[in-house]
Amino acid sequence: MNAIQWLRSLVFVAQIYLAMLVVGIVFAPYALFSRDGARMACKTWCKWVFWTARWMVGIRTEVRGPIPTGDVLIAAKHQSFLDIMLIFHSVPKGKFIMKREILWTPIIGLYAKGIGCIPVARGKRGAAIKQMVRDVDAGRLEAGQLIIYSQGTRVAPGVKAPYKVGTSVLYKELGQPCVPVATNVGVFWPRKGIMRKPGLAVVEFMPTMPEGLPREEFMTVLEQTVEARSDALLHETGFAQERLR
């Protein structure tokens, strides 16, 4: 059974990257000159991935909670590429803080730039955040939902990793509310490898945290909120958690 699921997963992974190429080429004339076009292309591909995931490998997707539509900072749990797609597809004008290397990835880099993502150089996150804040203040960045992964990388289900200070810096400097996001997608779509497992993959938008909280309070509440809800979502899947401290 695992061998069959692995083969189904292999076909699934191959076809979504082929679909990425096709969508990227078809939408390129529109996306190159329009941020709306770039968003439309990315959301079209996301819909294809969600639809094929359901019948090819048995992954159903669900988005819970109030979806933010105004100017907010979204601080999300990151377990795999699937949570990126679910968050982006849900919000109207999402853009990510991402590793600069992604800009050189075929198709993905072009469209990441097209939707307004903020590239951050490894080891220079502080400088990049300051530059981004300056760009926002100068009006050079379009309003919308800025998405940051507070742990700075993909973290496997059940594994503990520290929350980075960059989220609190952005929260303070931008002066915007923050929406925490929890997830369990890593159980079904792991951060590495081919295997995809059937089940219900969830991304959940939590109640908005108001602007202006003290830094320590903000980080404590953010981490407790995201981790507690992510643990609850993992529990729904029957995931046997091993706390790695």
Side-chain angles (χ1 to χ4, degrees), residues 96-107:
F96 294 86
I97 294 182
M98 66 180 195
K99 294 181 292 187
R100 183 174 295 276
E101 293 88 342
I102 294 176
L103 287 178
W104 307 109
T105 305
I107 305 297

Side-chain angles (χ1 to χ4, degrees), residues 1-18 48-49 52-59 187-190 192-199:
M1 184 63 180
N2 284 342
I4 294 175
Q5 184 68 19
W6 190 89
L7 287 173
R8 290 164 64 95
S9 300
L10 179 62
V11 174
F12 169 73
V13 171
Q15 66 84 25
I16 65 171
Y17 284 106
L18 177 60
W48 176 264
V49 174
T52 55
R54 188 179 186 96
W55 62 266
M56 292 187 73
V57 292
I59 297 179
V187 174
F188 313 103
W189 186 311
K192 295 180 180 179
I194 296 295
M195 187 69 164
R196 304 291 184 265
K197 299 177 181 178

Side-chain angles (χ1 to χ4, degrees), residues 118 125-136 140-141:
I118 313 300
R125 181 178 291 266
I129 289 173
K130 291 178 181 178
Q131 181 60 52
M132 188 199 62
V133 171
R134 287 195 292 268
D135 287 345
V136 171
R140 290 194 291 271
L141 292 179

Side-chain angles (χ1 to χ4, degrees), residues 77-245:
K77 185 80 171 174
H78 188 21
Q79 294 182 348
S80 76
F81 196 31
L82 182 55
D83 55 63
I84 293 177
M85 290 184 281
L86 284 169
I87 293 171
F88 177 77
H89 185 263
S90 299
V91 299
K93 292 184 177 181
K95 49 187 177 288
F96 294 86
I97 294 182
M98 66 180 195
K99 294 181 292 187
R100 183 174 295 276
E101 293 88 342
I102 294 176
L103 287 178
W104 307 109
T105 305
I107 305 297
I108 293 177
L110 173 66
Y111 281 89
K113 185 176 181 180
I115 65 175
C117 290
I118 313 300
V120 175
R122 288 184 182 272
K124 299 181 180 179
R125 181 178 291 266
I129 289 173
K130 291 178 181 178
Q131 181 60 52
M132 188 199 62
V133 171
R134 287 195 292 268
D135 287 345
V136 171
D137 290 340
R140 290 194 291 271
L141 292 179
E142 183 183 25
Q145 300 77 45
L146 179 61
I147 304 155
I148 185 170
Y149 288 109
S150 300
Q151 292 168 298
T153 188
R154 294 170 295 177
V155 179
V159 175
K160 286 294 188 181
Y163 278 55
K164 307 293 186 180
V165 70
T167 304
S168 65
V169 174
L170 280 177
Y171 169 75
K172 178 182 178 181
E173 295 298 327
L174 297 178
Q176 295 178 347
C178 177
V179 178
V181 177
T183 191
N184 66 5
V185 301
V187 174
F188 313 103
W189 186 311
R191 61 195 184 107
K192 295 180 180 179
I194 296 295
M195 187 69 164
R196 304 291 184 265
K197 299 177 181 178
L200 179 61
V202 177
V203 157
E204 183 166 349
F205 292 90
M206 309 301 293
T208 301
M209 300 174 65
E211 64 271 24
L213 294 175
R215 178 177 296 184
E216 185 174 339
E217 178 183 354
F218 168 74
M219 290 301 295
T220 298
V221 173
L222 174 65
E223 181 172 354
Q224 290 177 349
T225 299
V226 173
E227 291 301 304
R229 190 57 195 154
S230 294
D231 286 350
L233 293 175
L234 289 176
H235 182 72
E236 288 183 13
T237 72
F239 178 77
Q241 298 182 51
E242 294 181 3
R243 289 303 181 190
L244 303 181
R245 300 184 186 275

